[in-house]
Amino acid sequence: MDAGSNSISSQKSGSRRAAAQRPPFQEAGSRPYMPPLSTGSRNPSAKCYGDRFIPERSAMDMDLAHYLLTEPRKGKENPAAVASPAKEAYRKLLAEKLLNNRTRILAFRNKPPEPENMLTDLRSDAVQAKPAKQRRHIPQSSERTLDAPELADDYYLNLLDWGSSNVLSIALGSTVYLWDASSGSTSELVTVDDDYGPVTSVSWAPDGRHIAVGLNSSDVQLWDTTSNRLLRTLRGVHELRVGSLAWNNSILTTGGMDGKIVNNDVRIRNNVVQTYHGHEQEVCGLKWSGSGQQLASGGNDNLLHIWDVSMSSSVQSAGRTQWLHRLQDHLAAVKALAWCPFQSNLLASGGGGGDRCIKFWNTHTGACLNSVDTGSQVCALLWNKKEKELLSSHGFTQNQLTLWKYPSMVKMAELNGHTSRVLFMAQSPDGCTVASAAADETLRFWTVFGTPEVAPKAAAKASHTGIFNSFNHIR
């Protein structure tokens, strides 16, 4: 209960105590005269209030009081005697002119103070109270569904991303496609040769202009999407395919099937600046924290590592980089990773088909805060940027998206539509729309996190969903 309710309760209880202490008024003449309680100045203009208000004879008109007390009694004692209309009219006129319609018998020396404004406070509190927040409508079906032919049914890849400039990228086979939500245009960024493809990962740089493309050949390409130009190719960083990418300002972190995690400074010629060793199998999940100080990595070896930038080693160092935390609670591959936007040291992770759990971690201490068995493979995780909610995508048996309330982890909604496991999810820059890509070769859009808070709303909606009005398939 808030402080305002406590004050109101105390006022009520105080009023009840005062009422219990104050004796009820008795009929005039049934008690002896009692002097006023006030012992202060006799100045009539002085305000003095006691805890009781007693009639004062000096302020009374005794004749009027006697008349008002006895006049009604005469009629009651003689009910048979009926006054004539003339007498009744005379009596009313006399009361109006002479008695000035005075009907009170008791008079008080001091006017009682105004009652406490308890009701007024209640009304003002009710007016000033914030209106109850309306429950957000969560659509149970996708807003739009597009064909995505040749989308790889591979749990360990990362083939979908939504950049800060509101352009969605998706890799289908050996081709990367782009959709510009501002102009509604679609384009093909690159189709790699069979010797290098297929594409195994895509990730937008923070500027929303440059994009990294990981390949099956272990190469990583950097593209400028405004000029559709290949800027450089990172070779020799990994020995096998690069299935996960993550940006930290100008540092591109790559994770490969060889188990290595490498930080690449894309501004310099010798791009490899730091290496993390800890995974024995393919690295399938990489996410930098919002502060850029910690990196989470998940692998097919069922391990989750938390790395700190201050503990990384250079390539030239003979020693192996020491992780900050090595977390072994998951029982299957760890791909789904999501840093909490409202608590910097909170990380959510999801396990594969043999684990099926979403776990929450305090990355400062390495403690597992909670674990929830979802009943199916966890493929991807996304936090709501405006509310304490988490969205998860799943595989067999329902292939659904589930919205959870954090920290209670109560299911708020289940979004169905995909007919195969939902491998990838990406969030729009405004945080409202989520794109999901599944092994059923469809791309679906869900307004699961609300509507954009920009004016006009109609234009905002068109900028995020109307981009697909001119076509119904990807290529």
Side-chain angles (χ1 to χ4, degrees), residues 155 330 332-333 336 349-358 372-381 392-402 404 411 414 416 421-422:
Y155 177 82
H330 282 290
S349 63
D355 181 76
R356 305 180 302 276
C357 290
I358 299 176
V372 178
D373 189 345
T374 66
S376 58
Q377 181 185 51
V378 183
C379 301
L381 294 171
S392 58
S393 69
H394 299 272
F396 184 80
T397 59
Q398 292 183 310
N399 307 309
Q400 84 283 11
L401 282 71
T402 303
W404 309 83
K411 287 184 182 181
E414 285 195 346
N416 297 292
R421 56 181 181 173
V422 188

Side-chain angles (χ1 to χ4, degrees), residues 45-77:
S45 63
K47 294 183 179 180
C48 51
Y49 302 119
D51 62 345
R52 294 182 294 175
F53 296 91
I54 301 174
E56 186 177 8
R57 291 180 181 271
S58 61
M60 293 183 186
D61 187 336
M62 300 305 295
D63 294 334
L64 173 62
H66 180 267
Y67 169 77
L68 293 175
L69 287 172
T70 58
E71 182 65 17
R73 187 179 304 171
K74 292 179 181 179
K76 293 178 181 179
E77 292 175 354

Side-chain angles (χ1 to χ4, degrees), residues 129-147:
K130 294 182 179 179
K133 188 174 182 180
Q134 294 183 352
R135 186 168 182 175
R136 187 178 82 249
H137 172 66
I138 303 173
Q140 299 298 301
S141 59
S142 59
E143 189 169 346
R144 189 142 186 117
T145 303
L146 306 176
D147 292 329

